[in-house]
Structure formats: C-alpha cells, structure tokens
Amino acid sequence: MARFKSITLEWREDRVIFIDQRKLPIEEVYVECKTHEEVYGAIKDMVVRGAPAIGASAAFGYVLGAMEFKKKPEELAAHMKAVKDRLAGSRPTAVNLFWALERMERLFASTPSLSHDELIKTLEREAIAISREDILTNMAIGMNGASVVRDGDGILTHCNAGALATVDYGTALGVIRSAVEMGKRVRVYADETRPYLQGARLTSWELMKSCIDVTLICDNMAGWIMKKGYVNLVVVGADRIAANGDSANKIGTYSLAILAQKHGIPFYIAAPLSTVDLSCNNGEEIPIEERSHREITHIGEIRIAPEGVKCYNPAFDVTPWNMITGIITEKGIARPPYDVSLAKMFESTH
Ligand code: MRU
C-alpha cells in the first residue's frame, strides 16, 4: 500500500487526512476519514473545498468505498455504484468531482478480473496519480499564466484558488506563485469572499506563508481599488467552465468581471481542463449550489442578522465568456471564441 502527502490532504494506506479548512487560519487541525461516507461529509461540510481538491478527495473516498466491501463478489459492482453516487452527491457545481469519480469508475469497470486486494491497490494508485497529476497540472497553469503577469502588477483574486483548493500549488494562486518564482514583483489583493470568507481565511494565510505580498480587502472595496489604479490584473479560479467559455466560480466573481471591464483591466480564469465540461453548452446549464442561510446570518457562532430574516445564498455565479480575457490551462491560454480554442485544447490531449 502506498502513501501520499500534500498541504491539502494525506493518504495513509487506509485513511485520508484533511487539513480542516473550516478552522484555518485560527487552528491548524486535521480530520481523518476512514470511510467513503466520512469523505462525503468532509466535502459537503467544506473540511476540504476547491474544485480540484474535492475531485482528488472523492477519488480517495472511492478507494475507501472499495476497501469497505465485505460481501459476495457479484455484489461489488452495485456497491461501487452506490459509493460513486454518494460521493457525487456531496456538492453539485465543481465538475472536477464528477470527472475524478468517472475516471475511478472507468478503471474499476475495466479491471473485472482482479482480486479484491489487487483492485484496491489499482484504485489507490489511480487516486494518487490524480493527485500527483493535479500538482503538475497546476505548475503548468502557473508557467503559462505567468506570461500575463508584469513586474510590479497589482493582482486581484477572489475566494481561494490556491494550494488549499487543489492538491497543491493552486490555479489562480499558481499563476501568482510562478510569476513570483520568475522574479516578478507583485502585490496581491485578496477579496475576503463573503459569506464563507475563503479569501480572508485561506488565501491571505496561504500567501503570507509563501511570503507573497498580500492585502486583504472586503468584497465591496474591489471597485474602488480598481478606480484608484491599484489593480492591473484579475485572476480567479473556476468550478466549471462550459464549452462556450462561460465560467462558474465563487459568488462575486461575476461582479468582479463587470468591474474589471469597466476599468479596462484584463480578467483571467485559471483552471485545469478537468474543470471544462464540454457537455454544458453554456453557463445556463451549470448547476449552482445553494448553501445554508446560516452562512449569511452568522459569522462563526455569532449571529449578525435578525432571526427569521429571508436569505438567498447561491455559492457560485457564472461569468459570461465575453467578459473573460483568457482561460489559462495546462495546455496554454485559451482566447475567445472559447468554443473553438477550448475544443482545440481537448483535441491536443487525445
Ligand atoms: O465553495 P468553494 O470554496 O469550494 O469554492 C471554491 C472556488 O470557487 C474556487 O475558486 C474554485 O473551486 C477554483 S479552485 C482552484
């Protein structure tokens, strides 16, 4: 049995261990999952979050599901289908979750004659391969994206598309890391990202740990700092990109794209091709998760809104393709029209 460790998750032969992203940056504590049901809970409750990170996590959940099986061999296929469906039900928007589970399921279906032990080893190798590939993919995204960063740039980012949202290195933050590794000086502005505060809690923590200059702002300050000329570039991640380039990302991204357009600032999405869902023609077809109203009415344990107030809490929005300057992937930077440029990138991968 093999082991794997990154900042976001660790695979330790019979369990997956996550840094608890709900507790950062106040506490650095870890959550151990020994069953696929526990991995389901960790994704749903956002112990682990971010599109590529939940994909890799689900792959390990699938391995745990195979390990749990103790019945007759002829019942294994139905068990694994139930494991996959359960994990796939954890969060709806990030397509990497379904991408990783389908990859695991394809492998399972293609190896019917393996013993149970061999099957587990095969699935475990695949989950580790997904994790390792994610890091290499992010480094390639970083290298490709660093070309749009100029020395001295002020870069605005939203939510957390960093090491914590992936297996390691990050997508949007990967672009920033690569630019810094090339010697470019940058100032990063991190939106706090209401209501879950991924920017305040995770992006600022991550960038400070990497000694990258970061300034935390509230979401409603973005327009003003653009007006003041502090921002030359916006780079964010994505949870699902439709075939035409419409991109779903953390709620608030669409507003940033409008602000960037108004101020003539380039607006880039950084994401792996596993985030592109060619089965969605456009953003209208991307399912948008709605989360608990408590995320709006409370900050941590503290109530900040009157009891019983009506709330609406969509976790993602969709930025239309024609507001996106480029989509930075591991294969290069796709430019509009994206139905053509993204399709070409897929052709070159097969
Ligand atoms: O709700 P979250 O924290 O899972 O949302 C995460 C984002 O929106 C990220 O920007 C996206 O997943 C890209 S991560 C590289």
Side-chain angles (χ1 to χ4, degrees):
M1 301 296 283
R3 286 185 169 211
F4 173 86
K5 190 171 181 346
S6 76
I7 180 171
T8 307
L9 57 85
E10 177 177 358
W11 172 252
R12 226 189 262 171
E13 296 175 349
D14 61 349
R15 69 197 70 183
V16 59
I17 301 166
F18 299 109
I19 189 163
D20 190 341
Q21 298 196 28
R22 299 168 306 181
K23 302 276 167 65
L24 286 172
I26 310 301
E27 281 178 276
E28 238 174 278
V29 293
Y30 293 82
V31 171
E32 260 192 28
C33 298
K34 290 183 166 177
T35 62
H36 80 279
E37 186 60 30
E38 286 173 354
V39 174
Y40 164 86
I43 296 171
K44 194 171 176 53
D45 297 342
M46 294 181 55
V47 169
V48 59
R49 32 65 52 200
I54 63 181
S57 305
F60 286 115
Y62 193 84
V63 183
L64 291 173
M67 286 176 165
E68 287 156 35
F69 184 74
K70 300 278 180 287
K71 295 187 187 152
K72 293 192 201 113
E74 57 271 26
E75 291 173 46
L76 179 62
H79 169 79
M80 291 313 296
K81 167 89 173 59
V83 167
K84 182 198 165 197
D85 289 349
R86 182 65 171 158
L87 289 164
S90 54
R91 293 193 71 190
T93 303
V95 76
N96 308 61
L97 173 69
F98 310 99
W99 171 87
L101 285 169
E102 272 151 31
R103 182 164 156 177
M104 297 300 284
E105 188 175 57
R106 269 198 306 279
L107 181 66
F108 169 68
S110 69
T111 52
S113 52
L114 294 182
S115 70
H116 192 229
D117 282 355
E118 283 168 340
L119 172 69
I120 287 166
K121 278 196 197 122
T122 304
L123 294 176
E124 182 193 48
R125 270 199 299 274
E126 191 72 354
I128 292 175
I130 287 174
S131 304
R132 293 213 167 106
E133 282 167 27
D134 182 61
I135 300 173
L136 295 175
T137 297
N138 296 334
M139 288 177 161
I141 291 171
M143 289 289 285
N144 293 332
S147 63
V148 306
V149 179
R150 290 165 312 171
D151 188 34
D153 268 353
I155 307 173
L156 179 63
T157 191
H158 190 63
C159 191
N160 172 263
L164 289 164
T166 60
V167 178
D168 213 332
Y169 203 73
T171 55
L173 296 194
V175 169
I176 293 168
R177 283 182 200 286
S178 285
V180 170
E181 282 158 18
M182 287 174 188
K184 297 181 187 181
R185 285 158 300 179
V186 299
R187 287 166 287 111
V188 181
Y189 293 94
D191 268 353
E192 66 172 349
T193 318
R194 277 281 289 155
Y196 209 72
L197 306 175
Q198 290 93 330
R201 297 188 302 103
L202 308 175
T203 296
S204 48
W205 179 79
E206 216 187 290
L207 291 177
M208 285 176 80
K209 271 205 162 218
S210 299
C211 299
I212 295 175
D213 182 333
V214 59
T215 302
L216 177 63
I217 59 162
C218 299
D219 298 341
N220 51 3
M221 297 170 187
W224 181 242
I225 67 163
M226 287 183 183
K227 174 102 175 25
K228 301 266 283 178
Y230 297 169
V231 179
N232 315 96
L233 179 67
V234 179
V235 188
V236 297
D239 289 83
R240 194 185 295 223
I241 301 171
N244 72 342
D246 289 353
S247 297
N249 190 48
K250 181 53 55 193
I251 190 76
T253 303
Y254 171 56
S255 318
L256 281 188
I258 294 172
L259 289 171
Q261 193 170 57
K262 169 84 184 157
H263 293 89
I265 297 168
F267 180 95
Y268 283 90
I269 298 277
L273 288 178
S274 55
T275 301
V276 178
D277 182 359
L278 294 180
S279 76
C280 284
N281 293 307
N282 57 55
E284 291 291 312
E285 295 174 26
I286 300 177
I288 300 294
E289 177 180 13
E290 280 186 37
R291 295 189 61 85
S292 161
H293 294 175
R294 200 179 193 283
E295 289 179 358
I296 300 185
T297 56
H298 289 68
I299 294 187
E301 292 308 310
I302 299 170
R303 168 179 287 283
I304 56 160
E307 205 152 341
V309 67
K310 271 200 286 181
C311 297
Y312 174 48
N313 185 17
F316 300 97
D317 58 27
V318 177
T319 300
W321 67 271
N322 55 7
M323 301 182 82
I324 300 169
T325 312
I327 300 178
I328 305 164
T329 78
E330 66 273 32
K331 293 278 170 201
I333 305 180
R335 302 279 178 185
Y338 294 109
D339 48 354
V340 178
S341 56
L342 288 174
K344 264 206 193 110
M345 285 186 177
F346 276 93
E347 277 163 30
S348 70
T349 57
H350 296 298

